[in-house]
């Protein structure tokens, strides 16, 4: 086995096991190279072909762990031609490892096209999990994480940015965006205007790197803080979910049920009340029966 099939950890050289044919989607560090997994290193060293966005970026990772491989460039500008070359290798029974410049492949990069082609031809696709900037930001932001929505980059122009935010306003989940340091101020201002200045958020900058920073507050506070600030580094913007509306009071529910049942059968009235209040249809139907029995509603 050649030196290209080995990797090194803390001065110890390790031989990578052969990989079965297929496309391996390998997560790489988003900053700190120590976040690479052993399985990822073994895959990078053992694959027949290693494809990446920028060979110079991937070369730094390979050198750090003494992996003597020559990466193959696959990126937005050559995806059609390079993708067909990689598909030919996969059809021939080769193993192909795909990495992005940082983080998990297919998240805001052209790798999903290659994965889609492989799946369409029933070629095995294997995710090798690891670092992910959206998840790192989510767990460090201190915002609700039982449900979240990753929305990628907001549009560059202000109108498009605000229109997109308006589409996401009522999603009952924490929102996660990638953002440029040159646009974070404008995005925060738009988010404050559209989503509400009191909505909690966090600006997560340079994750896992030396100058990692989490700045938390309301959208209004953060918009003010970043309005004229000079910002550097990669940013993930995390915005908490919309406030939960207060449950209607008992008297309001009773009045709604009485109004609805005057024009429709009890079952339909309960279903309509459930849509309007968010309460359970079964409970509303029983409440309506109790009202009818009690006062002839």
């Amino acid at each position: 086995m050649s030196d290209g099939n080995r990797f090194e950890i803390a001065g110890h050289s390790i031989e990578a096991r052969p990989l079965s044919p297929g496309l391996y989607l390998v997560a790489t560090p988003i900053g700190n190279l120590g976040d690479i997994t052993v399985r990822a290193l073994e895959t990078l060293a053992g694959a027949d072909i290693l494809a990446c966005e920028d060979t110079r970026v991937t070369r730094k990772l390979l050198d750090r762990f003494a992996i003597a491989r020559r990466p193959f460039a696959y990126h937005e500008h050559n995806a059609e031609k390079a993708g067909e070359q990689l598909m030919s290798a996969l059809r021939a029974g080769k193993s192909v490892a795909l990495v992005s410049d940082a983080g998990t492949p297919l998240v805001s990069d052209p790798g999903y096209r290659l994965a889609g082609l492989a799946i369409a031809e029933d070629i095995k696709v294997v995710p090798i999990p690891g670092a992910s900037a959206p998840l790192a930001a989510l767990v460090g932001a201190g915002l609700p994480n039982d449900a979240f929505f990753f929305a990628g980059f907001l549009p560059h122009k202000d109108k498009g940015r605000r229109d997109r935010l308006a589409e996401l306003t009522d999603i009952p989940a924490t929102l996660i965006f990638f953002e440029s340091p040159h646009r974070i101020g404008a995005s925060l201002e738009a988010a404050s205007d559209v989503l509400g200045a009191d909505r909690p958020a966090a600006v997560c900058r340079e994750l896992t790197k030396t100058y990692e920073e989490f700045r938390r507050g309301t959208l209004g506070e953060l918009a003010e803080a970043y309005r004229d600030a000079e910002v550097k580094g990669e940013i993930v913007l995390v915005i908490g979910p919309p406030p939960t509306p207060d449950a209607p009071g008992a008297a309001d529910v009773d009045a709604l049920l009485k109004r609805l049942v005057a024009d429709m059968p009890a079952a339909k009235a309960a279903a309509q009340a459930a849509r309007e209040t968010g309460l359970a249809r079964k409970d509303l139907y029983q409440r309506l029966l109790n009202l009818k029995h009690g006062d002839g509603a």
Side-chain angles (χ1 to χ4, degrees):
M1 190 171 286
S2 69
D3 289 343
N5 296 97
R6 305 188 72 86
F7 60 98
E8 187 176 292
I9 299 178
H12 299 281
S13 181
I14 302 170
E15 185 175 296
R17 293 171 293 182
L19 296 175
S20 59
L23 175 62
Y24 294 79
L25 307 174
V26 186
T28 55
I30 58 177
N32 190 320
L33 294 184
D35 290 337
I36 193 75
T37 69
V38 173
R39 187 182 179 204
L41 291 173
E42 187 167 45
T43 304
L44 298 181
D48 294 318
I49 297 172
L50 170 57
C52 65
E53 280 187 274
D54 188 326
T55 57
R56 295 165 298 179
V57 173
T58 300
R59 182 79 265 155
K60 294 178 182 178
L61 176 65
L62 299 180
D63 289 346
R64 170 67 174 77
F65 295 98
I67 299 174
R69 301 298 306 274
R70 183 175 181 180
F72 174 86
Y74 171 77
H75 47 71
E76 186 69 40
H77 303 293
N78 75 344
E80 184 173 350
K81 181 178 179 180
E84 184 51 43
Q85 291 177 272
L86 294 173
M87 283 301 300
S88 295
L90 289 167
R91 295 185 192 108
K94 300 291 186 180
S95 58
V96 174
L98 175 67
V99 301
S100 63
D101 283 348
T104 301
L106 277 63
V107 180
S108 292
D109 75 34
Y112 75 92
R113 301 177 193 170
L114 184 62
L117 291 171
I119 291 169
E121 296 191 25
D122 202 28
I123 293 171
K124 182 174 69 173
V125 174
V126 183
I128 309 295
S132 169
L135 292 180
L138 178 66
V139 299
L143 296 170
N145 55 27
D146 54 328
F148 57 91
F149 184 92
F150 174 64
F153 284 94
L154 286 168
H156 292 187
K157 294 186 177 180
D158 187 62
K159 184 180 185 306
R161 183 186 298 125
R162 290 171 182 266
D163 288 346
R164 177 59 173 152
L165 287 167
E167 294 172 355
L168 304 174
T169 299
D170 295 324
I171 292 179
T174 292
L175 306 177
I176 305 174
F177 303 92
F178 286 155
E179 194 47 274
S180 158
H182 308 295
R183 293 193 300 269
I184 184 60
S187 291
L188 284 166
E189 183 174 352
S192 178
D193 291 344
V194 176
L195 303 180
D198 292 333
R199 197 151 161 177
V203 175
C204 313
R205 189 178 65 85
E206 292 290 85
L207 292 169
T208 79
K209 300 176 184 176
T210 302
Y211 297 104
E212 177 180 84
E213 177 185 56
F214 290 88
R215 191 157 186 175
R216 306 172 181 88
T218 66
L219 281 173
E221 292 168 344
L222 292 171
E224 179 65 27
Y226 283 91
R227 182 163 290 125
D228 299 312
E230 292 186 7
V231 186
K232 296 181 180 180
E234 297 177 332
I235 293 172
V236 181
L237 173 61
V238 184
I239 302 174
T244 303
D246 295 333
D252 293 332
V253 173
D254 290 349
L256 175 63
L257 289 171
K258 290 178 181 180
R259 176 172 59 80
L260 291 172
V261 81
D263 299 319
M264 61 185 72
K268 287 187 176 181
Q272 178 61 32
R275 286 191 287 271
E276 293 187 26
T277 64
L279 300 175
R281 183 195 62 79
K282 180 180 178 181
D283 293 341
L284 290 167
Y285 182 73
Q286 184 59 53
R287 189 182 189 94
L288 184 54
L289 293 181
N290 292 340
L291 284 171
K292 294 181 71 173
H293 177 74
D295 61 10

